[in-house]
Amino acid sequence: MSDWQSLAAYGKVVFYTQVTPNRRNGSPARMNDKKMMTLADIAKLAGVSESTASRALRNNPVINQATREKVQQIAAEHQFKVNATARNLRTQKSYTIAVIIAFDAKTQQTVSDPFLLELLGVIADELSQHGYDMLLSTSKSDDKDWGSYFLDSKRADGLIIIGQGEHDPRVEALAQTQVPFVVWGGRSGAELYPIIGSDNRQGGRLATEHLLNQGCRQLVFLGDIRHNEIEQRHLGMLDACQAAGIASDAVQQLTCDFTAQAGYLQTQQHVFARLPELDGIFAASDAIAMGAMKALLEHDIAIPQQVALVGFDDIAMSAYCTPSLSTVKQNTQSGGKALVSQLLARMQGQQPLSEQLAVKLLCRQSSLRRL
């Protein structure tokens, strides 16, 4: 891949005109000594329309690969690069997608959360394949009108919102507008906007069925059920317990932030009070589970012999901690790609579709009592 193609693939192409030396005395030539190529010139040489040439230069997969390579080769031969500012003014588009992490103001969760980083990486790669840059924003204030702030100001052409917070009213407000957006989150069935997300309720059911099959009967759920995704995971846990005839008072729900520190503190302050009767923990995220694991091990609680533990997400480190963490795997690759494709469909006037992604239980050392 040429340097030009490498830049184009990441949507960072800028325009410049190379000044060539005068053949007679080596002095720089005047700019009008050399014709400045335009997009129309490149399109004419390639035998395509200007819109096709523009998409090909942005490496848009809508244009077939042979045409993209032809247009890019002609552009490279003539040292032509897209004037992004002029293009944006002409099309009234920013070729940027804003990705908003919808944190609650009081949460301790940050963008450094391993699951968020993994999902953001997929989104960024996918957007670049379609010629878009990613503008990352965290939103902990309650007064920002996302439509006006990002779309009306031409900061972005569309929004990907990760998380719904505690049923954030700003998301509901967007649904009443023409702003193109999609959400990564949990579905309850009442939403009026497209949601891409994992089958959280099924994930909670799988995790709990596994704990019950390992002989656990006194369980704790660590997570904040005011968040839609977490609520669905908790409901899945209750589904599994009900199906197994486990009384509801045998399951304790402890509100817990999305961090390892919160999992550690909640285990120290509340879980130990239920020992030795407590024998199973289902944490709403791997980060929470790892915090709980640290607290248990510091007090010489044997995992999984005394307390079996299952997390949710399958972040990279979950397979390498000791003991390795059993978890419910979310498909971030499919999720990130679906978010981008459904948003672009909405931006092109199509009706975006919600999608619920399958999850998978990964059984590791932290919960396996019976082989």
Side-chain angles (χ1 to χ4, degrees):
M1 180 180 288
S2 67
D3 291 342
W4 183 90
Q5 289 170 306
S6 297
L7 289 170
Y10 285 92
K12 303 293 186 183
V13 185
V14 295
F15 174 82
Y16 70 88
T17 300
Q18 184 175 16
V19 179
T20 58
N22 186 290
R23 292 185 178 179
R24 289 178 296 178
N25 55 23
S27 62
R30 296 187 304 273
M31 288 187 67
N32 57 6
D33 285 345
K34 180 176 180 176
K35 183 180 184 299
M36 295 174 61
M37 298 293 290
T38 66
L39 180 62
D41 295 327
I42 299 300
K44 184 176 181 180
L45 290 171
V48 298
S49 67
E50 285 190 47
S51 61
T52 297
S54 177
R55 290 191 178 99
L57 291 173
R58 288 187 283 115
N59 217 31
N60 191 318
V62 170
I63 308 302
N64 69 67
Q65 185 174 351
T67 301
R68 276 183 280 157
E69 291 177 353
K70 180 180 179 181
V71 172
Q72 291 169 8
Q73 181 61 37
I74 292 172
E77 290 173 356
H78 292 272
Q79 299 181 338
F80 173 83
K81 295 185 180 181
V82 176
N83 184 332
T85 302
R87 177 199 64 186
N88 295 353
L89 288 172
R90 183 179 68 254
T91 62
Q92 290 298 294
K93 293 180 64 177
S94 67
Y95 291 95
T96 298
I97 299 300
V99 179
I100 303 170
I101 311 295
F103 292 137
D104 290 321
K106 60 182 178 295
T107 186
Q108 299 177 26
Q109 191 180 25
T110 67
V111 176
S112 62
D113 180 286
F115 174 76
L116 290 178
L117 286 177
E118 187 173 330
L119 183 60
L120 288 171
V122 177
I123 293 171
D125 288 344
E126 193 67 14
L127 285 173
S128 72
Q129 291 296 315
H130 291 271
Y132 284 86
D133 292 331
M134 184 176 81
L135 172 62
L136 181 61
S137 175
T138 60
S139 184
K140 291 193 175 184
S141 64
D142 295 326
D143 57 355
K144 187 176 290 185
D145 179 339
W146 290 335
S148 296
Y149 184 80
F150 291 105
L151 276 295
D152 294 348
S153 66
K154 305 300 182 184
R155 286 181 172 91
D157 301 325
L159 308 177
I160 294 174
I161 301 169
I162 298 180
Q164 298 146 299
E166 295 178 13
H167 308 283
D168 197 317
R170 291 170 294 186
V171 181
E172 303 293 340
L174 278 179
Q176 307 302 320
T177 71
Q178 297 300 310
V179 171
F181 77 99
V182 294
V183 173
W184 171 271
R187 298 178 62 187
S188 65
E191 295 84 7
L192 301 175
Y193 50 84
I195 299 176
I196 309 296
S198 298
D199 191 340
N200 293 285
R201 190 159 185 162
Q202 175 65 3
R205 185 181 299 113
L206 290 174
T208 308
E209 287 174 349
H210 171 63
L211 289 171
L212 295 176
N213 288 337
Q214 299 303 304
C216 299
R217 289 297 180 268
Q218 295 290 326
L219 306 176
V220 163
F221 178 84
L222 291 175
D224 189 346
I225 61 174
R226 291 171 295 184
H227 294 258
N228 202 327
E229 290 176 276
I230 310 306
E231 179 184 29
Q232 293 299 312
R233 293 169 196 178
H234 181 244
L235 290 173
M237 184 179 195
L238 297 180
D239 291 342
C241 288
Q242 182 178 21
I246 304 298
S248 59
D249 59 5
V251 181
Q252 182 180 10
Q253 185 268 321
L254 294 175
T255 298
C256 186
D257 202 356
F258 293 91
T259 66
Q261 181 183 18
Y264 178 85
L265 292 175
Q266 281 288 49
T267 302
Q268 291 270 24
Q269 295 169 6
H270 301 288
V271 172
F272 287 155
R274 291 196 55 192
L275 294 175
E277 289 79 13
L278 171 72
D279 54 9
I281 297 175
F282 173 36
S285 76
D286 286 350
I288 295 172
M290 288 181 181
M293 180 185 292
K294 176 176 170 62
L296 293 170
L297 293 176
E298 285 182 352
H299 287 74
D300 297 321
I301 306 299
I303 303 173
Q305 292 82 5
Q306 290 176 266
V307 177
L309 179 63
V310 179
F312 204 106
D313 288 335
D314 190 35
I315 61 176
M317 66 185 75
S318 65
Y320 299 100
C321 59
T322 303
S324 56
L325 180 65
S326 297
T327 186
V328 177
K329 181 179 180 62
Q330 300 197 76
N331 193 331
T332 53
Q333 284 291 325
S334 295
K337 291 180 178 180
L339 285 166
V340 172
S341 65
Q342 291 302 325
L343 176 61
L344 295 182
R346 174 67 180 86
M347 290 165 57
Q348 294 165 7
Q350 302 174 32
Q351 182 63 40
L353 302 174
S354 294
E355 185 174 350
Q356 193 168 67
L357 306 173
V359 294
K360 180 180 180 181
L361 177 67
L362 302 178
C363 301
R364 299 187 179 123
Q365 295 170 339
S366 70
S367 65
L368 281 173
R369 295 172 171 176
R370 301 172 180 174
L371 300 179

